[in-house]
Amino acid sequence: MKLTTKGRYAVTAILDVALRQKSGPISLADISSRQDISLSYLEQLFSKLKKHQLVKSVRGPGGGYLLGKSPVDINIAEIILAVNEPLDATRCRGKGNCRDGETCLTHHLWQDLSHQIQNFLTSITLANLLERSETKYISEKQDAQFEGQHSHKDTLILDRLL
Amino acid sequence: MKLTTKGRYAVTAILDVALRQKSGPISLADISSRQDISLSYLEQLFSKLKKHQLVKSVRGPGGGYLLGKSPVDINIAEIILAVNEPLDATRCRGKGNCRDGETCLTHHLWQDLSHQIQNFLTSITLANLLERSETKYISEKQDAQFEGQHSHKDTLILDRLL
DNA sequence: CCTATAACCTACTAAATAAGTCAAGTATTA
DNA sequence: TAATACTTGACTTATTTAGTAGGTTATAGG
């Protein structure tokens, strides 16, 4: 699970579609100018997103992209995984230095941690983000789901954004 | 918050120290051979880790690195942030296309999401990982803390690693 | 039918970052 | 005082990200 600007672009772009698709397909050119991401880069990203059925396309004038399924059924993890390559293999695969299991320990702990992050991102859907964008203050339900045991002092107030 | 192999190297390496420091300082050469990370790259990483007081060094023969504080007081987020540069600025800063607040929407949602991930990683300490490495099966307490509402079918059984 | 629009596709390139190398130090202590 | 191990900085290389250029196909609307 990699978290880079690439995944962020993908999430941003698909959220842009989600927010506006009521009025029909959204063209990449529109997303490009709104989100300030180059058109060609968006083409690369949406090609992958489409391959994973996260979006569907409408060709021709007035065409563009629509969500491939309901926002409830699209989670953040799958968006990020869709645009990142097959998630490169474990470091030790094939190498001799993991034969006794001992040296694999931290390696697998990291993998485990990575799974936790992925689970976490899987638990957040596009619908959740849409909700947040329509909610002036974060609801308690969301809050609990997102934050676990931590202090809420840095919780984002979406008010100023809308 | 970026999640790349760089941060993974850092977590892996510092965990290696945590697991073995009972027998004294751990040299980078040892970590290098055990974890298969180049010595010089480790030097770069540990230089930053030390700057953030996550580790402390012991010079001279038999020297190496020790944790800078208790495993309970070191969380995963600070390890990753320590080796990644000051967390690059927001895309729209200074640019004209965010003036009306509208275009910033998804941008801030992403930032918010990033905060959630950071909160999550902040909630996991080195001590948690150490515990896990000593526990054959994941305890319920850990499980609840880590996973939220999700299915546990892909939960890692550490048994096979130890 | 024609034309503009927009998806789709391929190949390439520039920039940034990650990862690793090299070399010449300095401090510590057995 | 020699061995060990950290420190520092300048380099190189590889990979990934981001952007360009140049097309083709599909289709809505005049």
Side-chain angles (χ1 to χ4, degrees), chain B residues 2 4-6 9 38 40-41 44 59-61 84:
Chain B
K2 268 186 305 185
T4 63
T5 51
K6 194 179 192 177
Y9 281 163
S38 91
S40 306
Y41 200 44
Q44 286 176 38
R59 304 182 72 149
N84 286 326

Side-chain angles (χ1 to χ4, degrees), chain A residues 1-9 11 76-77 79-81 83-84 87 110 114 117-118 120-121, chain B residues 1-5 80 84 87-88 110 113-118 120-121:
Chain A
M1 192 73 183
K2 267 187 305 185
L3 265 194
T4 63
T5 51
K6 193 177 194 178
R8 166 178 151 181
Y9 280 161
V11 172
I76 306 305
I79 297 172
I80 291 171
L81 289 175
V83 297
N84 287 327
L87 182 44
W110 174 262
S114 183
I117 295 164
Q118 197 166 326
F120 174 70
L121 290 178
Chain B
M1 192 74 184
K2 268 186 305 185
L3 267 194
T4 63
T5 51
I80 291 171
N84 286 326
L87 181 44
D88 60 324
W110 176 261
L113 188 63
S114 183
H115 277 144
Q116 309 301 345
I117 294 163
Q118 197 165 327
F120 173 70
L121 290 178

Side-chain angles (χ1 to χ4, degrees), chain A residues 13-14 18 27 33 47 58 74 78 87 92 114 129 131 134-135 141 145-146 156 160:
Chain A
I14 210 172
S27 76
S33 67
S47 161
V58 178
I74 299 179
E78 64 184 327
L87 182 44
C92 62
S114 183
L129 294 188
E131 240 177 88
E134 285 157 9
T135 308
K141 179 173 141 283
Q145 176 186 336
F146 279 2
L156 188 72
R160 63 190 158 90

Side-chain angles (χ1 to χ4, degrees), chain A residues 93-104:
Chain A
R93 187 167 66 172
K95 293 203 178 175
N97 61 331
C98 263
R99 53 202 167 304
D100 57 357
E102 221 277 341
T103 43
C104 257

Side-chain angles (χ1 to χ4, degrees), chain A residues 9 36 91 110 112 132, chain B residues 8-9 36 91 112 132:
Chain A
Y9 280 161
D36 196 26
R91 180 168 197 80
W110 174 262
D112 186 20
R132 301 196 124 203
Chain B
R8 166 177 150 181
Y9 281 163
D36 197 26
R91 181 168 195 79
D112 186 19
R132 300 197 125 203

